[in-house]
Amino acid sequence: MTTTITITGAGGQIGYALLFRIAAGDLLGPEEKVRLRLLEIPQGLGAAEGAALELQDGAFGLLEHVEVTDDAAVGFDGTDLALLVGARPRGPGMERADLLAANGGIFGPQGAAIAANAASGVRVTVVGNPANTNALIAAASADGVPAERFTALTRLDENRARAQLAQTLGVPVHTVRRVPIWGNHSATQFPDISHATVGGKPVGEALEQIVGDVPTWLDETFIPRVAKRGAEIIEVRGSSSVASAASATIDHVRDWVQGTDDWTSAGVVSHGEYGVPEGLISSFPVRSVDGEWQIVEGLELSDWARSRVDASVAELLQERETVQALGLL
Ligand code: NAX
């Protein structure tokens, strides 16, 4: 079988890191052939075309076809998986409302183009920031496509949180499970360790032995470190997260398509779960079952955790109000 995958912003950094992982079979496994559509704006076409030449030179057995375009109708034609990476970055002096407006001008038309051209079972993953609200705008513009097919990437935040916890505990990262991100992919996000396990056991006691006062450690060390990891990478590397963001995108889409054996995190549409207002695209603990994300329900939230979730959801609501006032919803 062959899957058609569209990557917007394919001429950018994350796009470049994603393309070769996908062509190598990291997303859909060693049996599934892929057809890639690289959608760019005119200024980015050269970089995307160069990447396409390199893909050719990679001689990937699974790569059936690569097409580079700046026409959304062509870019999303028959697509099964749309990875919306290209976005308008925040410029100097740009207010948050300006940023939301500029991105609304990208994600609204892309949502409409997906509805008009993509395969009927299309799954959309928004990476470009502000990812949750961009996904909301795209979903609202995609008449006839269920909102459940539009998701925002928060897996990088979860991977960062699991890695920090593993490092603190001195255990391999794969043994750390159930560290969901709640809310917005922003500084207000809430990486939640209340249900986390290490090797199948709750982390509580082991963590207390190492860090002492766990609540203080969460407030002062863990949560700020995870939420500000992007800034830390920029400071150390001199450039934003690229390969880790591409890797998290692969994790998200692979799990969505192939299923999960435990919880993970994704920005998905709320139907009112945990009191998150209906229609918002918020990060939740999720499982993927039969190709669909399901929110893990019934988890206890302490008053402290509740206030953290509420603060991030309040930010999402504010973003929704701003884009509504701009006429983008
Ligand atoms: P780059 O600036 O390297 O690449 C962006 C590319 O998008 C450029 O080639 C540009 O020409 C293209 N583009 C812009 N508007 C477009 C449009 N309307 N249609 C198609 N292509 C368009 O940025 P990069 O480092 O690749 O980051 C991409 C996005 O990911 C940014 O918005 C960034 O903030 C976001 N991130 C999101 C993360 C997440 O966890 N959700 C983490 C990583 C990253 O920060």
Side-chain angles (χ1 to χ4, degrees), residues 8-15 39-41 43-44 47 85-89 106 110 126-131 152-157 160 185 240-242 245:
T8 74
Q13 301 194 83
I14 295 173
L39 179 62
E40 261 291 350
I41 49 175
Q43 305 89 290
V85 180
R88 174 78 190 275
I106 294 174
Q110 286 186 351
V126 176
V127 177
N129 281 320
L153 183 76
T154 55
R155 183 64 169 265
L156 177 58
D157 304 303
R160 287 166 169 169
H185 169 67
S240 58
S241 317
V242 175

Side-chain angles (χ1 to χ4, degrees), residues 182-217:
W182 297 81
N184 203 0
H185 169 67
S186 76
T188 67
Q189 66 176 263
F190 173 42
D192 179 11
I193 68 149
S194 357
H195 307 276
T197 59
V198 175
K201 297 197 188 107
V203 290
E205 242 175 63
L207 192 59
E208 202 176 321
Q209 278 171 12
I210 293 168
V211 305
D213 180 8
V214 174
T216 304
W217 179 77

